[in-house]
Amino acid sequence: MEADKAEETLEQAAQVIEEQFARREREAARDLLQDAFVFLPPELQDLYYGVVELYRAGKWRESSELFEEWLDQARELDLL
C-alpha cells in the first residue's frame, strides 16, 4: 500500500515536471518566433508558414502536428 502511494506520487511529480518542461519549451518557441523569425533558417520559416496556413484553414490537428515537427527541427538546430 505504501509502495503504491509512493509510486503514484512519483508518477504525478514526473507528469508535473514534463508539463512544466513542455510549457517552457513552447514559451521559448513563441519568443523565438516573435523576436527572431526573420533570422530563422528558411526551412523553419516555411514550415511555420505551413502551420499558420493549416490553422487558418481550420485544420487544427494537422497544424498542431506540423508545429511539433517545427519544434523538432528547432531543437535539432539547438534553437530551443
Side-chain angles (χ1 to χ4, degrees):
M1 189 64 122
E2 187 77 25
D4 290 340
K5 192 173 185 177
E7 185 176 331
E8 183 179 324
T9 300
L10 285 175
E11 287 175 7
Q12 289 174 346
Q15 182 177 356
V16 168
I17 291 168
E18 186 176 317
E19 289 171 0
Q20 286 291 332
F21 179 75
R23 184 183 58 80
R24 286 185 183 153
E25 184 178 62
R26 290 194 185 288
E27 288 174 356
R30 185 193 67 226
D31 292 344
L32 182 64
L33 288 166
Q34 288 177 345
D35 300 337
F37 185 80
V38 297
F39 302 112
L40 292 176
E43 61 271 9
L44 277 182
Q45 289 181 14
D46 291 342
L47 199 56
Y48 190 72
Y49 285 132
V51 170
V52 172
E53 286 177 24
L54 288 168
Y55 183 82
R56 288 183 179 158
K59 298 178 180 181
W60 297 288
R61 185 169 53 90
E62 294 91 340
S63 176
S64 180
E65 290 170 357
L66 191 58
F67 185 68
E68 290 299 322
E69 185 178 330
W70 184 91
L71 286 172
D72 289 342
Q73 288 190 20
R75 280 187 218 104
E76 288 175 10
L77 295 171
D78 290 327
L79 297 173
L80 297 176

